[in-house]
Amino acid sequence: MSRTPVNRAAPQTPHQDLHSEQGALRGEHPGRARNPVIKVADLAWLEFEKPDLDRAEVFARDFGFAIAARTERELWLRGTFAGSPCMVIRRGRASRFIGPAFRAAERGDLDRLARATGNAVRDIDVPGGGQSVALLDPSGFPVRVVYCAEQLPALSEQQPLVLNVGTEHRRTNATQRPPREPSRVQRLGHVVLETRVFMRALDWYLETLGLIVSDFLFLDGQRGRGPTMAFIRCDQGSTAVDHHTLAMHLGPGTGYVHSAYQVTDLDAIAAGGEYLAERGYERSWGIGRHIQGSQLFDYWRDPDRFMLEHFADGDLFSCDLEPGWAPMSASGLAQWGPPVTRDFLGTNPSPAKLREVMTALRGDNELDPARLLGLMKAMSS
């Protein structure tokens, strides 16, 4: 997680257009819990199952991961920064996302969490060793909170290009020739999940793991019913951290949407994207710059259709910042870049999508016809 000390002499609020057009209205969700069980420090890694680990490793190297460990049944991926791995892929019968693992700030937090939830602290098989508490969120995702005994050492970095900007000439008598190579992943940034029980899941993450909201999105004409998407960060006090470590939105499905991995700069994103395109991988959407979080982004599909993002230059927020509130819309996803694709939005029609919608509308959850129509309108606006 990126950390930057904050100058507390000039506090900012979302009402000054720092990250959203407006703040909360009276009585709206505060975006944080008064007394959470613990406050996790970061997202540690994501857990997947796939039947073909060899194919998964080929894509991982092309996308820019390094290999932390490989066995017959597990593939651990990492970035260049010191710390924990980014992802573990275990051999399974089908390709599926299992859930996220969050990093505890200290070992004692595992004991505190175990007592509060009635779960046990158990050893886990992770490079370097560690322990975890296994939980289940309201959407049904297995969630681990982990404490690792050792950190992986840092690897060599992909250096950012030296830029000439305006009258500042930092590069003379030298050309720019970024190599056509994978965008070297530095670290895991965030994961985005879809859920039919958005408010229940949101409150669980705030109350159990101590996460706090950076930005809420609401449906046009339905703000009074509450938000339908939240960008959520870790709370490390005055230390500024990523705008979002977890993002969730209401929808007819329950599952993984995408995960994001930091790289050095825009040239690393672009050159790495050319490398992926030359090898036949499918770009889902990009290159552009987001609004919430401000990241430069580029989204790709792996051979199992999971979406992964290269990003750089994201916003960093301290705990002082209140949640912003903004309307949810497809056009509000980016400041600049190509039009958002149906693939990225997940709006390509299919029998499976129709069954998902019908199941959600008949179930005990937060999706009803008005919410569904509002989401469809937002994704076409």
Side-chain angles (χ1 to χ4, degrees), residues 2-32:
S2 295
R3 304 182 181 186
T4 303
V6 172
N7 179 2
R8 303 175 70 93
Q12 301 290 315
T13 76
H15 313 285
Q16 294 169 290
D17 291 337
L18 184 61
H19 65 110
S20 182
E21 294 180 358
Q22 49 190 306
L25 302 176
R26 184 180 296 275
E28 288 187 316
H29 198 295
R32 61 187 71 196

Side-chain angles (χ1 to χ4, degrees), residues 43-321:
L43 188 61
W45 62 76
L46 304 178
E47 302 190 359
F48 292 83
E49 285 185 356
K50 295 185 178 185
D52 191 338
L53 294 189
D54 291 334
R55 184 175 72 168
E57 182 175 344
V58 170
F59 173 80
R61 291 183 184 277
D62 288 343
F63 190 78
F65 291 106
I67 308 303
R70 172 73 196 267
T71 69
E72 181 65 25
R73 301 202 58 82
E74 289 187 343
L75 172 64
W76 287 89
L77 307 179
R78 61 161 299 175
T80 59
F81 285 0
S84 66
C86 294
M87 183 188 301
V88 57
I89 304 172
R90 299 185 176 92
R91 191 181 303 280
R93 296 176 61 184
S95 294
R96 66 190 186 107
F97 173 67
I98 303 301
F102 292 86
R103 179 169 61 85
E106 56 187 40
R107 171 59 182 81
D109 283 344
L110 296 187
D111 296 325
R112 189 175 301 110
L113 186 62
R115 288 194 300 269
T117 62
N119 293 285
V121 178
R122 301 187 186 279
D123 292 336
I124 52 173
D125 186 15
V126 59
Q131 294 181 303
S132 79
V133 175
L135 308 170
L136 197 68
D137 81 0
S139 304
F141 288 117
V143 175
R144 290 183 189 269
V145 177
V146 303
Y147 186 81
C148 295
E150 297 180 11
Q151 286 195 336
L152 297 172
L155 302 177
S156 60
E157 285 291 333
Q158 193 172 27
Q159 294 302 313
L161 296 188
V162 177
L163 303 179
N164 290 329
V165 181
T167 58
E168 184 181 349
H169 301 152
R170 300 171 57 203
R171 190 187 79 255
T172 60
N173 297 329
T175 60
Q176 294 281 39
R177 301 292 186 269
R180 189 70 58 84
E181 64 181 4
S183 306
R184 206 170 304 172
V185 168
Q186 295 174 323
R187 65 185 179 95
L188 168 63
H190 63 259
V191 64
V192 180
L193 304 175
E194 179 178 356
T195 176
R196 299 170 184 169
V197 290
F198 171 77
M199 290 304 300
R200 275 185 269 169
L202 172 67
D203 288 341
W204 185 87
Y205 281 98
L206 305 191
E207 293 165 2
T208 307
L209 305 186
L211 300 174
I212 58 179
V213 175
S214 297
D215 278 293
F216 282 121
L217 302 184
F218 58 87
L219 296 177
D220 185 37
Q222 298 187 36
R223 180 166 180 172
R225 296 190 63 184
T228 49
M229 185 165 188
F231 297 87
I232 312 164
R233 69 188 185 275
C234 296
D235 181 0
Q236 293 200 18
S238 61
T239 298
V241 301
D242 290 340
H243 171 271
H244 56 284
T245 299
L246 168 69
M248 291 191 301
H249 69 80
L250 177 66
T254 298
Y256 170 95
V257 179
H258 76 259
S259 51
Y261 304 87
Q262 180 177 293
V263 300
T264 299
D265 59 11
L266 179 58
D267 279 279
I269 291 175
E274 292 298 308
Y275 185 91
L276 288 169
E278 289 172 353
R279 279 149 185 78
Y281 298 110
E282 177 188 347
R283 173 178 270 131
S284 180
W285 182 37
I287 298 171
R289 186 181 282 278
H290 280 306
I291 294 179
Q292 274 77 27
S294 304
Q295 299 97 332
L296 296 162
F297 65 81
D298 195 19
Y299 293 91
W300 292 85
R301 292 282 185 183
D302 77 0
D304 297 284
R305 300 294 300 163
F306 290 109
M307 191 189 304
L308 292 85
E309 174 190 3
H310 284 141
F311 80 92
D313 190 34
D315 290 338
L316 301 173
F317 285 5
S318 70
C319 71
D320 307 290
L321 216 63

